Each structure stands twice: as C-alpha cells, then as structure tokens.
Amino acid sequence: MEVKIIRKVLDVNDAIAHKNRNLFKEKGIFVINVMSSPGSGKTSILEKTLSHLVPEVSCAVIVGDISTTNDADRLAKQNAPVVQINTDGFGGDCHLTAHVIESALSSFDLDKIDLLIVENVGNLVCPAEFDIGEDKRVVILSVAEGEDKPVKYPLMFRVCDAALLNKIDLLPYLDYDKNAALENISKIHPDMPVFEVSAKTQEGFSKWIEWLKECIREKKKQGK
Ligand code: MG
Ligand code: ZN
C-alpha cells in the first residue's frame, strides 16, 4: 500500500517535470538543479558563479529552503532575478518538486533567460528522487564533510551529471583525504566530471564556468 502511494506521488511529479522540460526546451533555457547537504557552500558557489556569468549570460535563480529568504537576499545582489521558495508552505519540507518549480516560473520573463539555476533544499537524500525538469544535476560536497559521503548517499551521486568539491582552500588545515573522496565518487559514478573549487578564493572556477557555458551553448543549438 505504502509503495503505491509513493509511486503515485512520483508519477505526478514526473508528469509536471516533463511539462517543465518541454517549456525550458521551447524557451532555450538551460536548467541546473544544484543539490548538497546543508553547509557545503551551495549559496556561496552560486554567488560566485553568477558573478562570473552576469551580464554576459542572462541568469535567473530559484532558491529552495524550508524557511527564511536569507539565501535569496544574498543571491539577489548578483543582478539576476531570484525567487525564494519556502517549502514549509508546500507541505514538503526537505526537497523541491516539479510543481513548486512550475509555480515559481511565472515570476520570470522566460524569453530573457539563458540559464536557470535551482538551489535545492540542503539534503542529500530525497532531492535526488524528484525530477524538476532540469537538464543537468549538480552535487556539491565540501572538504569539511566526510570523504565517504558519495558511498553513503549513492543515489545522489548516481543521478548527478557533475560534482563540485568545495572549500579546497581548507585542505591544508584538515585531515581530509581528497583522493579517497574522488575515488568514492568514481566508484558510484565513473567518469562524472568533478570540479575542485573554493568559493572563497575562486580557485578552480574557470573550469566549472567553462563547463556551464558549454552546456548553455549546447542547449541553444538544440533549440534551433
Ligand atoms: Mg543555501
Ligand atoms: Zn524531501
């Protein structure tokens, strides 16, 4: 019985995700779904990412949090339209659904957006199960977390298309085994690109930004 209910929820979600995806395709918008545990530096990464892309690339952001507009307030300083979703009003606290994304889209002029960034709720578990209509999924982990996160949360690393290893400026001060973390990622998802970055110093950002720009170019080509 319970299995059926869960399946139904995901079926409804997938139907709306499909609708979102068609709309993004029609408008030529490249969409990334950024996921991580709380505190890995998602918002900081996105602040710096926007500062590299705007105004050359027209960006918009949807930020999911259980409550507060703190992250949206920070991101709004980067000259891109930002919508904050507080999931406590949607009855789903710990992840974004396709329906929530759909309802946020009316806040944007979709004809003017090349890149839509979705900052999911900080959680390595259920956001991985909900398709929102995105093109690529990106997982962020930081060197302040355990090296074994990828093997503890395999679904997240399996469904993602790229990973960012953040806070590498802290490596000299930690006993973090970076190679073990990279090996754990490749155990779960061989050949997934991993960008080693620091949102603080912006080390490693050029490769990440280049990857994003290439994805945006590809999406534009497909639309034509
Ligand atoms: Mg955040
Ligand atoms: Zn959830």
Side-chain angles (χ1 to χ4, degrees), residues 42-44 63-65 71 74 119-120:
K42 276 190 301 306
T43 310
S44 299
V63 188
D65 276 302
D71 288 0
R74 283 169 60 189
E119 181 185 339
N120 217 309

Side-chain angles (χ1 to χ4, degrees), residues 4-17:
K4 265 187 194 163
I5 292 166
I6 290 167
R7 193 57 249 166
K8 187 114 198 285
V9 168
L10 288 176
D11 283 347
V12 169
N13 184 76
D14 286 354
I16 302 172

Side-chain angles (χ1 to χ4, degrees), residues 25 29-30 135 215-223:
K25 191 176 176 203
I29 302 172
F30 177 70
D135 293 290
C215 291
I216 295 164
R217 277 194 292 270
E218 276 301 310
K219 183 80 186 231
K220 290 274 171 216
K221 264 193 234 163
Q222 286 168 21

